[in-house]
Amino acid sequence: MKRKFLIWVFLLLSCWVQLKAQSGGNYIYNFLNLSYSSRIMGLGGSLISVHDDDPTIMLYNPSYLSERQHNAMSLNFTDYFTKSTAVAASYSYTFPKAGSFSFGIYGLNYGSFLGTDEMGNETGKFSAGDYALVVGWGRELSPNFSVGANLKTVFSFYDSYYSVGMVADLAGSYYNKDKQLSLTLMAKNIGSPIKSYAPGNYELVPFDLQFAISQRLKHIPIRYHISLHSLYRWNMSYVGRDNPFIPSDAITGEPQYPSKVAQFADNFFRHFIFGLEIEPIKYFSIQLAYNHNIHQEMKVVSRKSMAGFSYGFQLNIKGIRVGFSRLHYAVGATPNCFDFAINFDELAKNSKEKKSRKLERISTE
C-alpha cells in the first residue's frame, strides 16, 4: 500500500511541477497529441482506458502494458492533411521480473516544400517532420491496480532548423473485472526540449492531464468510453469581438455574446469525448465517438458539419488485428487511419492447436 501511495504522489507532484511551468504560450511537438491508432482515433483521438490485449494501443496507455501484449507488433499509417503522413510501429516484450516493455517509433512527415527568399527567388526544396522514439514500461501491482510510463525522445526538423526533446507520460489505472470497469489517470508529455530550434529560445511542450473511463455493459455487447482532456485548465474557448462565431446585432453591430450558462456548458463539454464500442460478433468491433472541442473549433457556421465525429472498426482473428477509422476535423479534412497488428505467441498457439486437432482427427480415423 505504501508503494502505491508513493507512486500516486509522484504522479501528482509531476503534474503540479508541469502546471507551474506552463501558464501560457504556444507549444511545440504538437504531433505528440495526434492519434496513431485506428481504435483510438475511432473513439475520439484521446486517451482510452481498456484492459485487453490490443497491441495497437500499447504506446498510449503504458499502465495497461502487460504480458497480454507479449511478443506483439503493431504497424500504423494515417494520411493526414495535404501531403502529411503519419506512421507508427511498436513491439512489446515482457520480462518476468522487470515488467512489460514496449519499443516504438511514431511521427509525422510533412513532405517536401519549395523554398524561396524574400524576393520570391527559389532556393531549393526542403523537408519537414516530427518523430519520437518511445520506450514504455508497465507493471501490474495487483489484480486491480497497474502503473506505467513512456519515455519519448523527440526529433523535430524544419529545413535547417531542428530540435531535440525528452518527454514522458506517467499513468495509473484501476480495473474491476466483475464490473468490467476501467479507469486511467495520465500526465502526458512531461518534459522540455534539450536542444531548441534557435539558440536562447525556450519552447513549451504540449503537456496534458487526462482521465478516461470505460465499461462494458453487462447484457449487451457495448462498451462506453468517456475521456477527459486538458484537466489542468478550465477555459478552452474564446469569446471576444474578433471571434467569427459570435453573431452581431443587425442594427448596432455590437456582438451578441452567449449567456454565462451557455459559455459554462460549452467550456465544460469541451473537456469531454464520448465514445461507444459495439461488438456485434466476437471478432469484430465498431467504434463511434464525438469530440466536442474539435467540433467547436473546426465547425463551419454557414453549414452543418461532421467536425468532431469519428468512427471505425477493428477485426481481430486468431492473433491478427486489422483496423480502420476516420476522424472529421473539417470539410475536406478527414484523415484515414489504418492498423495492422500481430501477436506472434497467440498466432503460434493457434497454429499448434490446429495441428494438434488435425493429428487427433487423423488418429481417430
Side-chain angles (χ1 to χ4, degrees), residues 40-310:
I40 293 177
M41 179 177 284
L43 290 169
S46 188
L47 173 70
I48 64 173
S49 182
V50 180
H51 187 274
D52 64 17
D53 60 347
D54 187 355
T56 68
I57 61 175
M58 60 186 174
L59 287 179
Y60 307 98
N61 187 349
S63 60
Y64 276 149
L65 181 62
S66 71
E67 60 184 9
R68 294 183 299 274
Q69 295 94 12
H70 174 68
N71 200 21
M73 180 188 70
S74 174
L75 302 173
N76 173 272
F77 173 82
T78 306
D79 62 335
Y80 273 103
F81 316 119
T82 61
K83 296 182 180 180
S84 300
T85 56
V87 293
S90 59
Y91 176 77
S92 175
Y93 197 90
T94 298
F95 298 92
K97 294 184 178 180
S100 299
F101 289 82
S102 65
F103 309 90
I105 180 172
Y106 62 82
L108 196 59
N109 186 291
Y110 304 104
S112 60
F113 303 87
L114 182 63
T116 61
D117 59 20
E118 62 274 14
M119 301 301 294
N121 300 312
E122 296 183 2
T123 58
K125 291 187 176 182
F126 67 94
S127 59
D130 294 307
Y131 296 93
L133 294 174
V134 187
V135 177
W137 169 83
R139 192 176 186 91
E140 292 184 347
L141 303 180
S142 73
N144 299 107
F145 292 96
S146 58
V147 294
N150 283 332
L151 180 62
K152 297 178 278 191
T153 305
V154 181
F155 303 92
S156 177
F157 62 93
Y158 302 88
D159 193 11
S160 59
Y161 300 93
Y162 71 95
S163 174
V164 180
M166 295 290 292
V167 296
D169 304 332
L170 299 177
S173 290
Y174 167 81
Y175 176 65
N176 187 311
K177 184 178 181 180
D178 295 332
K179 296 182 179 180
Q180 291 290 293
L181 176 67
S182 179
L183 310 172
T184 297
L185 175 65
M186 181 165 74
K188 185 176 182 179
N189 300 330
I190 302 171
S192 67
I194 55 178
K195 197 290 179 182
S196 298
Y197 294 100
N201 285 356
Y202 177 78
E203 301 98 350
L204 299 174
V205 299
F207 169 80
D208 200 5
L209 183 61
Q210 302 176 343
F211 176 78
I213 176 174
S214 76
Q215 185 175 29
R216 183 182 172 88
L217 302 182
K218 191 172 184 179
H219 300 294
I220 53 177
I222 292 178
R223 184 195 307 271
Y224 71 81
H225 296 263
I226 301 175
S227 299
L228 290 85
H229 59 92
S230 306
L231 295 179
Y232 65 96
R233 63 189 178 109
W234 163 248
N235 191 9
M236 296 185 63
S237 64
Y238 173 69
V239 179
R241 287 181 173 272
D242 55 348
N243 187 334
F245 297 143
I246 302 297
S248 300
D249 186 274
I251 299 176
T252 64
E254 289 296 314
Q256 296 178 319
Y257 298 113
S259 66
K260 296 294 184 181
V261 174
Q263 292 184 43
F264 177 89
D266 179 53
N267 253 321
F268 180 77
F269 284 107
R270 279 175 180 259
H271 293 272
F272 283 81
I273 301 172
F274 300 96
L276 287 177
E277 201 162 17
I278 307 168
E279 299 178 2
I281 58 177
K282 183 179 180 180
Y283 304 108
F284 182 74
S285 63
I286 300 170
Q287 296 86 36
L288 303 167
Y290 173 68
N291 187 321
H292 185 64
N293 187 55
I294 291 180
H295 179 77
Q296 291 297 88
E297 293 293 323
M298 306 299 289
K299 67 182 180 181
V300 179
V301 179
S302 59
R303 58 181 293 184
K304 292 183 178 180
S305 171
M306 285 283 291
F309 288 89
S310 60

